[in-house]
Amino acid sequence: MNFTDYFTRRAEFDIFPLEEPDLIAAAGLHRQRFAAPWSDGEIHALLVQDTVFGFVARQTNGSLRPAFGGFVLSRAVAGEAEILTIGVDPRYARSGLGWRLMQAAMREASVKGSDTLFLEVDETNQAAIGLYRKLGFLKVGERRAYYQDKTGQRTAALVMRLDLR
């Protein structure tokens, strides 16, 4: 590898369990991606619950300050699981990180005995809806005027379900 390749090569990421040192970066990304963001304290309050688990995408190549590419936070209870939130840094959108984070959450939900996985997504988030459909999720409901953007406009949440078994 020559000197310029070091600065121009594509970032590589691996998926790791979400841990307390990741909370500030997760909250920062959540603030960037959502109109009603969660703080690191709110994410921590969820993560310490026995039923909640999460994963992060961390850069693994060539950086003194590895990039935080994204995270997913999930819960599994009584045979069902849900994606509580997921976010990918816009610099790495459409790079497969969302897919990989969702796969990790789906595997863990299954290991924890869940038969189904639910999530809610803003009806205007076509990229996320496309990803969830590719993963096999189907729309099973809708919550009208569930989300509110920074301008005050309300949009519906699509409720989606995936059978894990």
Side-chain angles (χ1 to χ4, degrees):
M1 172 177 1
N2 68 39
F3 184 73
T4 9
D5 289 342
Y6 181 80
F7 293 103
T8 59
R9 72 180 174 163
R10 195 171 134 173
E12 296 173 10
F13 290 87
D14 279 339
I15 306 300
F16 300 94
L18 179 67
E19 297 175 336
E20 194 166 335
D22 301 312
L23 297 179
I24 291 173
L29 180 58
H30 207 265
R31 191 170 36 258
Q32 185 179 8
R33 302 299 284 173
F34 293 92
W38 297 350
S39 69
D40 57 327
E42 290 168 313
I43 296 170
H44 181 264
L46 286 166
L47 192 58
V48 296
Q49 296 176 26
D50 291 341
T51 58
V52 176
F53 56 94
F55 296 93
V56 298
R58 268 196 226 109
Q59 186 178 0
T60 56
N61 67 326
S63 177
L64 296 175
R65 294 183 62 204
F68 183 88
F71 77 106
V72 61
L73 194 62
S74 307
R75 174 185 355 239
V77 178
E80 292 183 351
E82 68 175 314
I83 300 296
L84 299 171
T85 191
I86 181 171
V88 173
D89 187 307
R91 294 175 294 176
Y92 309 110
R94 300 195 180 274
S95 69
L97 288 184
W99 178 275
R100 292 173 63 198
L101 287 163
M102 287 296 294
Q103 288 286 330
M106 290 159 56
R107 276 191 304 275
E108 187 67 14
S110 185
V111 166
K112 291 184 178 297
S114 298
D115 295 323
T116 56
L117 178 61
F118 290 91
L119 60 80
E120 294 171 347
V121 59
D122 189 313
E123 67 181 340
T124 65
N125 190 343
Q126 293 304 310
I129 293 167
L131 169 64
Y132 303 145
R133 284 186 176 142
K134 285 180 187 174
L135 287 164
F137 282 84
L138 300 173
K139 178 184 168 188
V140 294
E142 184 174 310
R143 300 180 197 278
R144 294 183 186 269
Y146 186 78
Y147 294 111
Q148 183 173 341
D149 68 16
K150 293 177 182 178
T151 68
Q153 182 176 348
R154 293 204 161 274
T155 57
L158 305 182
V159 180
M160 300 184 82
R161 174 188 170 147
L162 174 69
D163 291 326
L164 296 171
R165 307 254 183 240

